[in-house]
Amino acid sequence: MAPTIPRHLVRNVGIVAHIDAGKTTTSERFLYYAGRSHRIGEVHDGEAILDFRADERERGITISAAATTLAWNGYQINLIDTPGHVDFTAEVERALRVLDGAVVVFDGVEGVEPQSETVWHQADRYEVPRVAFVNKMDRVGASFDGSVRSIRERLGAVGIPIQLPDGEAEAFRGIVDLVTLEYLRFEPASLGKEVVRAAIPEALRARAEACRESMLEALAERFDPLAEVWLDGSAPAPDLVHRAIREVTLRRTAVPVLCGAALRNIGIQPVLDAVGRYLPSPLDVPAVRGTVPSTGAVEQRAPEVDAPFCALLFKVVANPAADLFYLRAYSGAMESGARLLNARTGKGVRLRRMMRMHADRGEAVERLQAGDIVAAAGLADAVTGDTLCDPEHPILLETIRFPDTVVSIAVEPRTTADRDRLWELLDRFRREDPTLDFKTDPETGQSLLSGMGELHLEVVLQRMQRDFGLHVLAGKPRVSYRETVAAAARAASEYSRKIGDDQLWARVEAGIAPTVPAAAPAEFVDATARGRVPGAYLPAIRESLLNAAAGGGLYGYPVTGVLVSLHDAQFADAGQPEIALNSAASMTFRELLMRAGPIVLEPYGRLEVRVPEDCLGGAVKTLHHRRALVEDTAYHRDAVTIRGVVPIAEMFGFLTVLRSQTQGRGTFSLEPLDFRPVPENLVAQQHHRLYGD
Ligand code: GDP
Ligand code: MG
């Protein structure tokens, strides 16, 4: 049985970065050095321990965040490995929500890349303190200074190097610790497990001392107790320097920067040390906020063990055997088997079989307390974002927000039996991944699977086939369109019908006006003269108008970015006024769209393409053909980066084209940005594309 560790020694941290920066490679070393694994699994051999799903091993990327616990210098580090691909942004989003600190890994050659930028801003939003690790210092072209500079220029953050690399690229062989002024050598014979601390070689001495001065100056500016000592001219003790680094990290006024080469087993243990020393414990983070379900009152829960219990369900993993539910406890404590309340459903639940996870294996725990992250089985109808709490003290924690889906694919089961199974599976997958959506068009009977990108959906289909033996026919990926209006308008419609002896009659007068952002859900405002429409009927009319918007406009896409105002409603008292009002409201809504002029919107993404310089012309031409708006091009030593925005619809199959144009040397990233109007001349064509095949 795993003992419980004092809270101030717990670290809930994530490793985040751009894809391929080396998160998994770094995590594998964490496990090995902390004695959690007895070998190092390499990503490129398809052997990484943390990438335990077959599709992850095959593709060499991390898809679902795997939680792992390890012990380091008395700390209990709960580590979440998150995927770098933007198609799996939900994973990163929810990891940031439950983590207290993060290690951000950069590629020493590339510096800050688009996804690290996105994740950085997400971490800012969740106020997550960070340490930076500049990895791949062994690669040709690696530059520590360059990476620190790009942290300042592209992230607007103050990076304070607390180490100095000895050499770069092929010459990279060790690290100077600027806090203690020691030289660290990672013995290759022990796969870097043995760290030798020695005196700094003469040749490096002057530079190391200069770098230490810069570090102390930057810290002193932000931490007074250090300033007092440093301005005095005395050498601050390592403990004081560590305290200064911890303070600036927790207050997020600066970010300590470390360096290394995970693949060469250099510089990993100092990152673990930094996690313990500088990142927050669950006690260092602010109380969580939530609402009391019965009253809607806002309440705070401090991370105290004797407060009422509450935990957030942040991840569900569908397994052929049994689904796994990942929980982060925020306050209080509970024993295995105790009765809890699911604050969303109002139903009681019992948590049995709680486990501290080690990649795909679990170690039983009997007690869950504030700050812990565990997996549990048997939570029947719980979904990602649910709150589990003490039934005597119900609270609904702020749920995790997810972006709208932008890409869909038509799926067709081959038999009727497969159809039922498909529904059941997609239902489970959706619980696991809230950025996945699944609908059947009532008119065409066609089933549409929607998600965050081409790769996202491809992975879902492949997993269905591989893990669950279900094969479905899939159409081509398409983007999800929306509709909005060009101008404001006003309209009124009357509905009249005789049913039996009852004369149903209603008239609804309403207005519509465009709002921003164009893809935001439609909103409603009551603009009727006071007392003119009986209050009891207002909610029904509001529902009818908003349902009409969600149900699809003149082109059949959800109507967004509009404010619908109700100006008048009249109805005959006889029969069922709601039915007549509902019909009149729907008719009025269509009339409004016609008068205001519909606009079809399509999703745009932020694009970054990196190509060798001699391929620049061809790449720009291809991008123009795909309606990309190029915003800037930046020249590097051996490549050019093109940045801009592009309709996501134009980017399907782009990777294949890019690869052939650049002999496999080009790369790109695309992340959903916003929705913009489809050019007039393309509306008919796009419309055909969606319903045509
Ligand atoms: P992730 O996508 O961030 O999880 O990155 P991975 O850990 O999967 O690494 C991506 C690729 O970079 C793999 O082929 C690794 O072997 C390689 N890699 C990771 N760390 C280093 C490093 O320190 N030096 C070099 N040269 N390659 C590395
Ligand atoms: Mg990975």
Side-chain angles (χ1 to χ4, degrees):
M1 200 67 58
T4 43
I5 299 259
R7 299 296 89 187
H8 70 281
L9 296 176
V10 172
R11 297 289 178 273
N12 292 316
V13 295
I15 303 196
V16 289
H18 189 86
I19 190 159
D20 275 351
K23 291 179 304 288
T24 306
T25 308
T26 303
S27 318
E28 291 287 325
R29 266 79 190 164
F30 283 180
L31 297 189
Y32 181 68
Y33 298 141
R36 264 322 207 141
S37 62
H38 299 292
R39 58 177 184 87
I40 295 177
E42 295 296 4
V43 176
H44 52 247
D45 298 331
E47 286 279 307
I49 294 160
L50 286 166
D51 289 349
F52 58 84
R53 264 164 49 174
D55 49 0
E56 296 182 331
R57 291 207 171 153
E58 222 164 71
R59 290 164 187 266
I61 58 172
T62 310
I63 296 163
S64 66
T68 296
T69 299
L70 49 93
W72 186 255
N73 278 352
Y75 293 102
Q76 181 192 81
I77 302 178
N78 297 321
L79 189 73
I80 295 227
D81 182 41
T82 56
H85 198 284
V86 286
D87 282 5
F88 307 101
T89 174
E91 292 281 346
V92 181
E93 191 88 27
R94 72 180 123 195
L96 285 171
R97 171 70 196 277
V98 295
L99 292 171
D100 302 325
V103 175
V104 184
V105 180
F106 297 97
D107 181 321
V109 179
E110 313 290 337
V112 175
E113 295 175 88
Q115 181 64 6
S116 29
E117 214 173 314
T118 307
V119 174
W120 193 270
H121 296 315
Q122 280 175 316
D124 280 340
R125 223 171 48 236
Y126 289 95
E127 305 183 347
V128 175
R130 276 145 269 179
V131 300
F133 175 55
V134 177
N135 186 33
K136 303 202 186 181
M137 285 304 301
D138 63 316
R139 272 187 66 195
V140 178
S143 161
F144 189 52
D145 290 345
S147 298
V148 173
R149 203 176 322 120
S150 79
I151 289 175
R152 184 174 58 240
E153 284 167 6
R154 290 197 65 177
L155 303 177
V158 179
I160 302 182
I162 61 166
Q163 294 178 337
L164 173 70
D166 174 16
E168 289 177 339
E170 305 88 341
F172 179 59
R173 59 184 98 69
I175 289 170
V176 175
D177 179 337
L178 296 178
V179 178
T180 59
L181 274 179
E182 287 171 309
Y183 187 88
L184 309 188
R185 219 173 39 235
F186 301 81
E187 291 302 326
S190 65
L191 294 178
K193 194 159 191 161
E194 193 192 331
V195 185
V196 180
R197 291 183 166 260
I200 300 173
E202 208 42 55
L204 267 176
R205 187 118 211 132
R207 245 194 98 208
E209 273 163 11
C211 290
R212 176 178 154 93
E213 279 310 293
S214 313
M215 171 188 78
L216 291 176
E217 184 181 358
L219 290 171
E221 266 172 35
R222 295 169 175 82
F223 186 63
D224 290 345
L226 182 73
E228 283 159 26
V229 176
W230 187 68
L231 291 174
D232 250 13
S234 32
D239 272 353
L240 180 60
V241 182
H242 286 314
R243 237 182 80 210
I245 301 173
R246 181 174 175 78
E247 278 304 313
V248 300
T249 306
L250 294 189
R251 289 195 219 137
R252 294 181 293 111
T253 52
V255 177
V257 190
L258 295 85
C259 63
L263 195 60
R264 309 270 168 248
N265 305 317
I266 301 178
I268 300 302
Q269 292 92 332
V271 180
L272 285 171
D273 291 342
V275 166
R277 282 196 183 117
Y278 313 135
L279 290 180
S281 82
L283 303 177
D284 296 317
V285 298
V288 283
R289 291 156 65 90
T291 49
V292 178
S294 57
T295 62
V298 174
E299 216 175 90
Q300 298 213 349
R301 289 284 164 85
E304 286 156 10
V305 175
D306 39 16
F309 180 82
C310 76
L312 183 75
L313 175 61
F314 67 95
K315 187 173 168 65
V316 182
V317 179
N319 269 314
D323 294 350
L324 264 189
F325 301 83
Y326 284 82
L327 296 162
R328 154 84 201 242
Y330 281 97
S331 63
M334 57 144 309
E335 310 294 325
S336 177
R339 208 168 65 81
L340 295 175
L341 175 77
N342 180 332
R344 177 183 59 90
T345 61
K347 286 188 198 157
V349 289
R350 273 179 214 281
L351 279 184
R352 296 181 206 278
R353 295 209 16 235
M354 294 192 294
M355 287 169 289
R356 192 154 288 146
M357 292 306 286
H358 171 57
D360 56 346
R361 270 168 295 133
E363 167 189 27
V365 284
E366 282 301 305
R367 187 177 154 85
L368 173 57
Q369 58 181 49
D372 279 335
I373 289 183
V374 297
L379 275 175
D381 53 1
V383 300
T384 300
D386 278 2
T387 306
L388 301 184
C389 58
D390 181 340
E392 306 300 319
H393 302 273
I395 186 167
L396 201 50
L397 297 176
E398 202 182 305
T399 191
I400 306 173
R401 256 177 297 132
F402 296 105
D404 287 339
T405 62
V406 288
V407 173
S408 309
I409 200 165
V411 289
E412 200 175 322
R414 293 196 290 201
T415 64
T416 323
D418 275 0
R419 172 171 299 273
D420 296 344
R421 186 125 169 73
L422 174 69
W423 276 93
E424 183 197 310
L425 271 183
L426 285 175
D427 207 49
R428 280 171 79 175
F429 282 14
R430 189 161 47 181
R431 281 203 337 212
E432 177 180 324
D433 176 359
T435 59
L436 200 61
D437 202 5
F438 182 61
K439 278 196 203 83
T440 297
D441 185 325
E443 278 163 32
T444 61
Q446 195 178 52
S447 301
L448 274 188
L449 183 65
S450 316
M452 299 312 296
E454 211 177 349
L455 178 62
H456 184 203
L457 298 180
E458 208 178 287
V459 165
V460 169
L461 292 175
Q462 226 187 53
R463 209 179 141 203
M464 222 145 52
Q465 190 176 339
R466 188 203 317 265
D467 294 357
F468 298 89
L470 181 70
H471 194 91
V472 296
L473 302 172
K476 290 203 192 74
R478 306 149 163 173
V479 296
S480 314
Y481 293 94
R482 303 273 190 281
E483 247 181 88
T484 191
V485 292
R490 198 144 155 172
S493 294
E494 256 184 59
Y495 173 85
S496 171
R497 197 167 158 203
K498 204 165 164 63
I499 293 185
D501 288 339
D502 291 335
Q503 178 62 46
L504 301 190
W505 181 85
R507 179 182 178 278
V508 169
E509 185 179 344
I512 197 165
T515 59
V516 284
E523 288 187 62
F524 172 85
V525 62
D526 172 21
T528 56
R530 210 141 69 93
R532 174 129 177 104
V533 182
Y537 292 102
L538 280 174
I541 302 171
R542 174 180 182 276
E543 281 304 288
S544 302
L545 288 168
L546 291 181
N547 281 344
L554 300 181
Y555 287 93
Y557 310 125
V559 179
T560 58
V562 295
L563 177 66
V564 184
S565 50
L566 177 68
H567 296 281
D568 193 19
Q570 295 163 267
F571 53 90
D573 265 333
Q576 296 148 300
E578 286 92 349
I579 294 179
L581 279 169
N582 179 34
S583 301
S586 307
M587 287 160 62
T588 305
F589 187 74
R590 290 196 83 73
E591 185 63 32
L592 284 173
L593 294 181
M594 263 177 302
R595 291 190 183 191
I599 292 180
V600 179
L601 302 168
E602 62 180 326
Y604 271 65
R606 184 161 287 293
L607 175 71
E608 184 157 331
V609 185
R610 199 181 168 96
V611 293
E613 206 175 324
D614 55 306
C615 301
L616 178 63
V620 168
K621 204 163 150 210
T622 307
L623 289 176
H624 279 308
H625 275 305
R626 291 175 182 252
R627 295 194 282 133
L629 309 166
V630 173
E631 287 169 349
D632 90 277
T633 44
Y635 290 81
H636 311 282
R637 219 166 48 102
D638 55 349
V640 190
T641 307
I642 311 164
R643 293 198 192 96
V645 293
V646 65
I648 290 175
E650 300 286 350
M651 294 304 283
F652 296 133
F654 179 68
L655 186 60
T656 317
V657 173
L658 180 69
R659 286 213 173 120
S660 79
Q661 265 187 350
T662 59
Q663 291 83 45
R665 291 172 298 160
T667 56
F668 84 102
S669 77
L670 175 69
E671 43 191 280
L673 178 66
D674 56 14
F675 280 76
R676 301 182 187 188
V678 175
E680 290 272 333
N681 60 325
L682 286 183
V683 170
Q685 200 185 323
Q686 299 270 13
H687 193 59
H688 175 76
R689 219 190 276 175
L690 192 72
Y691 285 97
D693 49 36

